[in-house]
Amino acid sequence: MAPKKNAAILFIFITLLIDVIGIGLIIPVMPKLISTLIHGSISDASKYSGWLTFAYALMQFLFSPMLGNLSDKFGRRPILLMSLFGLGIDYIFLSFAPSIGWLFVGRTIAGIGGASFTTATAYIADISNEENRAQNFGMVGAAFGLGFIIGPAIGGLLGGFGARVPFMVAAGLSICNCIYGYFVLPESLDMAHRREFDWKRANPIGSLKQLLKYEDLKGLIVAYFLIFLGGMAIQSTWSFFTIQKFNWNERMIGISLSVVGLLIAIVQGGLIRVVNPKLGNKRSMYLGYVMYAIGLFLFAFASQSWMMFVFLIPYCLGGFCGPALQSVMSAQVPKNEQGELQGGLTSVMSLASIIGPPLMTNIFSYFTKDSAPVHFPGAAFFLGGIIMLTAFVVSYKTLHNNTAIS
């Protein structure tokens, strides 16, 4: 049984890896593409970027619970393959988008089919036990990290041939990924552990209500939301911040994001397997929150390009908290509701992605305008640090008041 589970983890790792490489390919060129389409400045383009992410996240928020519940009925494999195909269609739209409106169409399609994270985490939960659950969730993070080593580096280079070239390559990778999954990805949820589809539990509000039935997890769910909300400062403004403050080009942005990916892979694919068993889930969470906050505060006041690379070290060490938090929550939920839990958590993550990007990019835009009362490009990073500290406090109070959660 163990070799089969190890093989399944490898399959989902490779599937997510190819998926994330495609995402990483397009990040370095998005500021340039948006600026070109709107004929505006980087400050203006950042706001459009935030609303594009909003469109994607809104659709994911609305549809992920349904797809998570469908995976509890029909299995993880078909839902994952469908989401990968949808992502490929999205990149095709982006490759040929003649206007900013078409970019919104593409991101909407991707959000509707974007269940790869939901289904992958449910897949991992299916094949994990109490001893290896946090480590296996860490492998999901490692796939994201490695994908962001390869994807942005290649995307930065391809961006030199045109802002649309990385989108074409990403489309090809996503379609190939779908084909790969069709032939090699096994099903993880056997018939005995499937349940009937329920519309009441498949809508986003119903999904969030189902999460709230786990009374002991309410505070941790709030903390989970805050982690992703604070992280939106990096995801939404990194490229725009480094262009605005340090005049970085696509190649430099790609290199920096590859370093991010390398550090995430080291932390979640290696260090977490050493640190988590020694510290336990609770202390791993607390350490992660603090390191995230330190990294964000340092980014906010960075004055030299090299500082951005050095400050990535404490920030990426914050990756200890995510898998530990997921491990604690998934351990409190029955096996036949793991898909529903992960769908609900993806809704929480999507809710942060709905609120976070417009919030962070508008803050960036406001403090980088010529009319800004104070010129502070790092304002979004500073806010992100405060949010991470808030997540620390919420988690600590929740776990301190409920010693039954381990």
Side-chain angles (χ1 to χ4, degrees):
M1 184 65 68
K4 289 184 178 180
K5 287 188 176 181
N6 290 335
I9 292 172
L10 178 62
F11 289 146
I12 204 71
F13 175 83
I14 294 174
T15 299
L16 280 175
L17 175 62
I18 298 174
D19 192 8
V20 177
I21 287 174
I23 297 172
L25 278 170
I26 70 173
I27 294 176
V29 298
M30 281 298 283
K32 182 178 179 180
L33 179 61
I34 296 172
S35 297
T36 301
L37 290 175
I38 67 171
H39 306 289
S41 66
I42 287 296
S43 183
D44 294 331
S46 67
K47 290 192 293 185
Y48 280 92
S49 176
W51 289 115
L52 281 166
T53 307
F54 168 87
Y56 173 87
L58 179 61
M59 291 300 103
Q60 192 174 65
F61 175 73
L62 294 174
F63 285 90
S64 284
M66 182 179 70
L67 295 174
N69 276 263
L70 285 172
S71 79
D72 281 340
K73 176 176 174 60
F74 297 107
R76 318 301 184 200
R77 184 176 180 273
I79 306 303
L80 182 59
L81 295 180
M82 182 179 70
S83 70
L84 295 176
F85 181 76
L87 190 61
I89 298 299
D90 167 52
Y91 290 135
I92 292 174
F93 267 94
L94 296 177
S95 298
F96 299 99
S99 66
I100 192 71
W102 280 104
L103 288 186
F104 279 96
V105 172
R107 297 318 290 160
T108 299
I109 293 173
I112 293 173
S116 59
F117 181 80
T118 304
T119 315
T121 50
Y123 193 109
I124 292 296
D126 290 340
I127 60 176
S128 299
N129 55 41
E130 188 66 31
E131 288 74 28
N132 63 16
R133 186 176 285 110
Q135 292 92 326
N136 287 343
F137 277 127
M139 287 302 294
V140 176
F144 275 72
L146 187 58
F148 274 107
I149 296 172
I150 301 170
I154 298 175
L157 293 174
L158 291 175
F161 298 98
R164 299 178 187 269
V165 173
F167 294 94
M168 299 176 187
V169 175
L173 277 177
S174 295
I175 298 301
C176 289
N177 193 13
C178 182
I179 296 172
Y180 163 80
Y182 178 82
F183 286 105
V184 304
L185 188 68
E187 179 56 63
S188 64
L189 187 66
D190 57 55
M191 297 299 297
H193 290 99
R194 299 186 186 185
R195 63 175 179 82
E196 288 302 311
F197 182 83
D198 183 354
W199 277 107
K200 292 182 179 179
R201 300 167 72 173
N203 65 80
I205 304 302
S207 179
L208 291 174
K209 285 183 178 178
Q210 287 299 317
L211 285 181
L212 295 179
K213 75 181 180 182
Y214 304 107
E215 188 69 28
D216 296 339
L217 299 183
K218 288 182 180 179
L220 297 181
I221 292 168
V222 171
Y224 190 78
F225 168 78
L226 292 174
I227 290 173
F228 283 97
L229 183 64
M232 286 298 143
I234 297 292
Q235 297 181 36
S236 302
T237 67
W238 178 271
S239 297
F240 298 97
F241 174 85
T242 53
I243 292 172
Q244 177 80 20
K245 188 154 188 177
F246 304 119
N247 199 31
W248 284 9
N249 57 22
E250 294 94 336
R251 180 175 175 273
M252 194 66 178
I253 294 170
I255 291 172
S256 70
L257 293 174
S258 293
V259 173
V260 173
L262 176 61
L263 292 173
I264 291 174
I266 291 172
V267 171
Q268 301 209 5
L271 286 180
I272 195 172
R273 293 177 175 268
V274 177
V275 173
N276 186 273
K278 290 185 177 181
L279 296 183
N281 285 327
K282 292 183 181 180
R283 291 180 180 176
S284 295
M285 287 165 53
Y286 299 150
L287 175 62
Y289 291 135
V290 172
M291 299 311 291
Y292 269 146
I294 290 173
L296 284 162
F297 287 137
L298 290 172
F299 289 143
F301 296 100
S303 58
Q304 302 288 333
S305 284
W306 62 265
M307 292 181 179
M308 300 300 288
F309 289 92
V310 175
F311 297 161
L312 281 171
I313 296 173
Y315 178 78
C316 289
L317 287 173
F320 289 135
C321 72
L325 180 56
Q326 268 193 307
S327 179
V328 170
M329 289 191 288
S330 66
Q332 311 301 313
V333 176
K335 188 170 184 178
N336 66 353
E337 296 181 10
Q338 288 293 334
E340 180 180 53
L341 171 68
Q342 300 305 331
L345 291 178
T346 299
S347 292
V348 171
M349 182 173 62
S350 296
L351 193 59
S353 298
I354 291 170
I355 299 170
L359 172 66
M360 298 301 181
T361 54
N362 275 278
I363 287 175
F364 171 83
S365 180
Y366 178 78
F367 283 99
T368 54
K369 285 182 177 180
D370 294 335
S371 59
V374 178
H375 186 74
F376 186 26
F381 296 148
F382 188 82
L383 175 60
I386 293 174
I387 291 172
M388 291 299 182
L389 292 180
T390 305
F392 175 97
V393 173
V394 171
S395 292
Y396 179 80
K397 287 186 175 181
T398 300
L399 295 174
H400 182 73
N401 293 334
N402 193 334
T403 56
I405 302 178
S406 60

